[in-house]
Amino acid sequence: DAGITQSPRHKVTETGTPVTLRCHQTENHRYMYWYRQDPGHGLRLIHYSYGVKDTDKGEVSDGYSVSRSKTEDFLLTLESATSSQTSVYFCAIAPSGGQNTGELFFGEGSRLTVL
Amino acid sequence: GESVGLHLPTLSVQEGDNSIINCAYSNSASDYFIWYKQESGKGPQFIIDIRSNMDKRQGQRVTVLLNKTVKHLSLQIAATQPGDSAVYFCADLPSGYSTLTFGKGTMLLVSP
């Protein structure tokens, strides 16, 4: 257990509503990531953070924003959810040096359904 | 659990057999290659990595082979057990970057 908690674990929402997913870590790691996982596409990077207020886009960032106001929390926001954003979302952290070797610890995932 | 197994190539083996899971990569400028295991309903779990200047690395019951000539990575699992049933993803870390690119995964099914 790398001390990663995702919330909510399951959410059903309607098209056009805002949604925020939270990733919380207890070990003060600098690098945090948000991935989405869809059948046939594997894991795709949405956004990542390399420190407080330091974030960057990933492969599939359109329609998503992130914020990191403190080390332990990395928030993913869908400003206006669409059905194409129905997915399982995973948060990950890189333990010390992990961002240089690819060793990440993942959370348990948040399943989002947009109707 | 989460339906991550749809549309995935599947390898079915008997308990006790050795398993070989293959992965082709495209970025010849990657520093590290990594294997992850994902059990149903859970997040991916790091298994083993190999640096680009190595050909082989062994862990506990697992061996990763890297063939840079043909851009091929493989994960060998010795004496496969039912608990090894999962989806396995390869990933690579491009040089100078801190973000992984994942492959689409292979489902391993182990029958007793």
Side-chain angles (χ1 to χ4, degrees):
Chain A
D1 183 0
I4 308 171
T5 305
Q6 290 186 229
S7 60
R9 294 292 314 280
H10 300 272
K11 185 171 181 66
V12 179
T13 191
E14 293 188 350
T15 298
T17 60
V19 175
T20 295
L21 305 179
R22 179 183 183 234
C23 178
H24 178 78
Q25 60 150 329
T26 59
E27 302 188 8
N28 291 322
H29 294 300
R30 185 177 161 205
Y31 281 78
M32 299 183 74
Y33 306 80
W34 275 109
Y35 285 88
R36 62 177 288 174
Q37 186 171 41
D38 305 286
H41 290 279
L43 287 146
R44 293 180 292 174
L45 181 67
I46 306 172
H47 282 278
Y48 71 103
S49 170
Y50 46 96
V52 174
K53 293 187 169 56
D54 292 323
T55 66
D56 206 348
K57 296 179 180 180
E59 176 188 358
V60 291
S61 60
D62 286 349
Y64 301 94
S65 62
V66 289
S67 66
R68 190 152 177 217
S69 59
K70 45 187 178 177
T71 302
E72 58 265 37
D73 288 326
F74 191 31
L75 304 181
L76 177 70
T77 297
L78 292 66
E79 300 290 348
S80 178
T82 67
S83 58
S84 65
Q85 294 176 310
T86 292
S87 187
V88 181
Y89 292 85
F90 287 99
C91 174
I93 61 170
S96 180
Q99 72 276 8
N100 297 321
T101 64
E103 180 178 0
L104 304 183
F105 293 137
F106 283 82
E108 293 292 286
S110 295
R111 185 175 187 90
L112 175 67
T113 301
V114 184
L115 301 175
Chain B
E2 312 302 352
S3 57
V4 300
L6 294 177
H7 316 301
L8 285 177
T10 300
L11 175 65
S12 296
V13 301
Q14 293 285 116
E15 182 178 1
D17 288 350
N18 296 332
S19 302
I20 300 176
I21 301 171
N22 297 304
C23 176
Y25 64 91
S26 58
N27 191 344
S28 58
S30 292
D31 276 343
Y32 278 88
F33 299 87
I34 308 98
W35 283 99
Y36 281 84
K37 172 186 180 182
Q38 186 176 25
E39 297 176 359
S40 181
K42 296 187 176 182
Q45 179 182 11
F46 172 89
I47 303 173
I48 191 169
D49 62 12
I50 185 168
R51 196 164 184 176
S52 59
N53 61 356
M54 299 171 66
D55 298 321
K56 179 179 180 179
R57 189 175 184 205
Q58 288 185 293
Q60 196 169 23
R61 273 202 314 120
V62 295
T63 301
V64 56
L65 299 177
L66 177 62
N67 185 331
K68 294 179 286 293
T69 302
V70 295
K71 297 183 182 177
H72 185 267
L73 185 70
S74 68
L75 178 71
Q76 300 178 359
I77 304 174
T80 314
Q81 302 167 0
D84 294 325
S85 293
V87 177
Y88 290 80
F89 293 95
C90 65
D92 69 278
L93 182 66
S95 179
Y97 286 80
S98 54
T99 60
L100 293 174
T101 300
F102 283 85
K104 290 182 171 48
T106 297
M107 178 173 282
L108 176 65
L109 296 175
V110 183
S111 50

